[in-house]
Amino acid sequence: GQNIDQPTEMTATEGAIVQINCTYQTSGFNGLFWYQQHAGEAPTFLSYNVLDGLEEKGRFSSFLSRSKGYSYLLLKELQMKDSASYLCAVYGSNDYKLSFGAGTTVTVRA
Amino acid sequence: ETGVTQTPRHLVMGMTNKKSLKCEQHLGHNAMYWYKQSAKKPLELMFVYSLEERVENNSVPSRFSPECPNSSHLFLHLHTLQPEDSALYLCASSQTPGAEQFFGPGTRLTVL
């Protein structure tokens, strides 16, 4: 089976940096995604990692280590609108099945 | 706006009712998905269609019946549901299996 673990909740101050960790145990590996989901809305794509290393996209960066089964999403210069749930998801050996973690709820405080 | 629309956005139904959820994607994608999202739980994959053929049924009870009449439309037919089926039902599409998935806004379903 697939197992995706991430913290349940994190709180940070506006302007700060927050790092959300994700560990995974899957049968095979074909890519890792991070999605952002605001309450009552659709998950939206943030980043994709398939090779080891850091992918940077504006204020958001994502890192992958396939040997460790580990990824993190780094949110810099936090803004109030970044308060949301962040979902880690992995394609294992089955390209049809994207397995999700339960999500990390980030609360940004003024 | 992700290019994936779902109707209705909210649905309340009794256990003996029959209803259908509709999903439409305007992205020209070849794969479509149904997910169930319950509070504090990971998104659960229910069904996958690729080129209008069902390729994945993730042990979903038969009271949920999917239909994919063409590559742009996906339905989820519901009958004799249970209160524990209350959840957010999300539709998604991707260009190909294994690619980034684009999600619709979901249907919030309440079964009384």
Side-chain angles (χ1 to χ4, degrees), chain A residues 43-70:
Chain A
T44 55
F45 169 79
L46 287 180
S47 69
Y48 170 65
N49 294 75
V50 67
L51 299 176
D52 291 351
L54 188 67
E55 294 285 339
E56 296 186 85
K57 190 185 286 188
R59 293 189 299 114
F60 294 175
S61 304
S62 58
F63 172 83
L64 175 68
S65 169
R66 288 172 296 168
S67 63
K68 295 182 179 177
Y70 168 70

Side-chain angles (χ1 to χ4, degrees), chain B residues 86-99:
Chain B
S86 298
L88 181 68
Y89 288 85
L90 290 162
C91 173
S93 70
S94 65
Q95 181 62 52
T96 56

Side-chain angles (χ1 to χ4, degrees), chain A:
Chain A
Q2 319 286 57
N3 194 33
I4 318 285
D5 288 317
Q6 52 183 128
T8 305
E9 294 180 339
M10 300 183 76
T11 301
T13 305
E14 197 173 14
I17 297 173
V18 70
Q19 177 174 315
I20 306 170
N21 297 322
C22 172
T23 57
Y24 62 89
Q25 295 162 335
T26 58
S27 302
F29 178 81
N30 279 304
L32 185 144
F33 293 82
W34 284 97
Y35 283 86
Q36 180 191 61
Q37 186 178 24
H38 286 100
E41 297 183 13
T44 55
F45 169 79
L46 287 180
S47 69
Y48 170 65
N49 294 75
V50 67
L51 299 176
D52 291 351
L54 188 67
E55 294 285 339
E56 296 186 85
K57 190 185 286 188
R59 293 189 299 114
F60 294 175
S61 304
S62 58
F63 172 83
L64 175 68
S65 169
R66 288 172 296 168
S67 63
K68 295 182 179 177
Y70 168 70
S71 172
Y72 68 73
L73 179 69
L74 195 69
L75 315 180
K76 303 175 195 172
E77 301 168 20
L78 280 173
Q79 301 174 12
M80 300 299 286
K81 66 178 182 179
D82 297 329
S83 292
S85 182
Y86 292 85
L87 311 177
C88 175
V90 176
Y91 273 120
S93 55
N94 181 345
D95 272 352
Y96 296 115
K97 188 167 183 176
L98 188 59
S99 297
F100 283 83
T104 300
T105 300
V106 172
T107 302
V108 181
R109 293 185 174 163

